[in-house]
Amino acid sequence: MKKQVSQTISVCSFYLRNINHISRFLPRQTKERVVNAIITSRLDYCNALLYGTSAVNIARLQRIHNTATMLIMRSPRSDSGTLLLRELHWQPIVCRVDFKLLVFTYKAMHNDAPVYLCELVCPYQPTRTLRSANNNKLEVKRTRTKAGDCSFAVAVASLWNNLPTDIKTCDNLTSFKHIFVVLLISVIRHEHYILFY
């Protein structure tokens, strides 16, 4: 993914420089809309493929995301990217990747996704009666390679099984997204998501 990440960063940097030239003439709300339309949409495009990529790639994308927040907030480079993201209610890149995969999983489990994705999501069925049988878990397939661990079937099963039960049993996609974001805000300080400066 190094080439893809480099190309995304190059394009985003170009547009950020152009937006920066006119940013002092724009109110904050307009800047936020422009950045969302031009920069964030590019960072989110096919970002589910970034699951399992190197921390270096994620950190590079996160720096672009932080630069976009600093441009909107007109803050100096010394300010914390974490605080700025919180103020804008934006999620770090790692969270955005996990969120997209989990939305795909929810849709696949409720037959609201393409057939090829629904076939990759297998509910967990223990060989004997266990309490965990009713926890709405997915079967995690065993792999021998890192690339296998990053495959859709394995990645979504691992992420899904780590979710609390009340999120997994949501009635609709809107409530699933809402509860997930609320949970994410509460755990955003967790070390796993602190990949930015």
Side-chain angles (χ1 to χ4, degrees):
M1 296 301 291
K2 186 177 179 182
K3 186 176 179 182
Q4 171 67 23
V5 168
S6 296
Q7 188 173 2
T8 302
I9 289 170
S10 175
V11 172
C12 288
S13 297
F14 170 77
Y15 283 112
L16 278 172
R17 282 193 296 273
N18 288 339
I19 295 168
N20 192 37
H21 291 315
I22 60 167
S23 65
R24 59 193 169 133
F25 304 113
L26 302 174
R28 176 180 152 176
Q29 192 175 17
T30 306
K31 279 191 286 188
E32 195 171 338
R33 286 180 182 163
V34 170
V35 168
N36 272 325
I38 298 173
I39 307 301
T40 310
S41 62
R42 281 181 167 79
L43 293 174
D44 286 342
Y45 179 70
C46 292
N47 68 346
L49 297 173
L50 292 170
Y51 183 85
T53 191
S54 69
V56 174
N57 284 338
I58 295 293
R60 291 175 69 205
L61 289 170
Q62 190 59 59
R63 276 195 288 277
I64 288 291
H65 204 210
N66 290 351
T67 305
T69 59
M70 289 174 189
L71 187 140
I72 291 169
M73 306 295 286
R74 297 297 293 172
S75 62
R77 295 182 70 86
S78 58
D79 282 5
S80 169
T82 308
L83 297 176
L84 295 175
L85 286 172
R86 274 192 211 143
E87 195 169 331
L88 287 172
H89 303 290
W90 286 5
Q91 302 164 355
I93 296 294
V94 174
C95 300
R96 295 172 94 87
V97 171
D98 292 353
F99 179 71
K100 186 170 279 189
L101 283 171
L102 288 167
V103 168
F104 286 155
T105 309
Y106 184 90
K107 287 181 176 181
M109 290 185 70
H110 293 84
N111 295 321
D112 195 24
V115 178
Y116 63 89
L117 286 182
C118 295
E119 291 172 352
L120 294 173
V121 176
C122 304
Y124 173 64
Q125 295 174 340
T127 52
R128 58 184 191 276
T129 307
L130 299 170
R131 283 180 296 184
S132 60
N134 298 326
N135 285 351
N136 205 7
K137 289 191 168 189
L138 297 178
E139 182 182 340
V140 181
K141 297 176 181 173
R142 292 177 183 245
T143 60
R144 296 185 180 186
T145 62
K146 185 170 169 75
D149 292 340
C150 297
S151 67
F152 181 81
V154 178
V156 298
S158 302
L159 289 171
W160 185 263
N161 291 344
N162 289 332
L163 287 177
T165 308
D166 57 336
I167 296 180
K168 292 191 271 190
T169 55
C170 285
D171 296 334
N172 55 51
L173 184 60
T174 306
S175 61
F176 173 81
K177 288 178 178 179
H178 176 73
I179 295 172
F180 181 81
V181 169
V182 169
L183 173 74
L184 188 60
I185 290 168
S186 66
V187 298
I188 199 74
R189 294 176 187 172
H190 192 275
E191 188 177 335
H192 176 64
Y193 292 113
I194 303 299
L195 291 170
F196 37 93
Y197 313 106

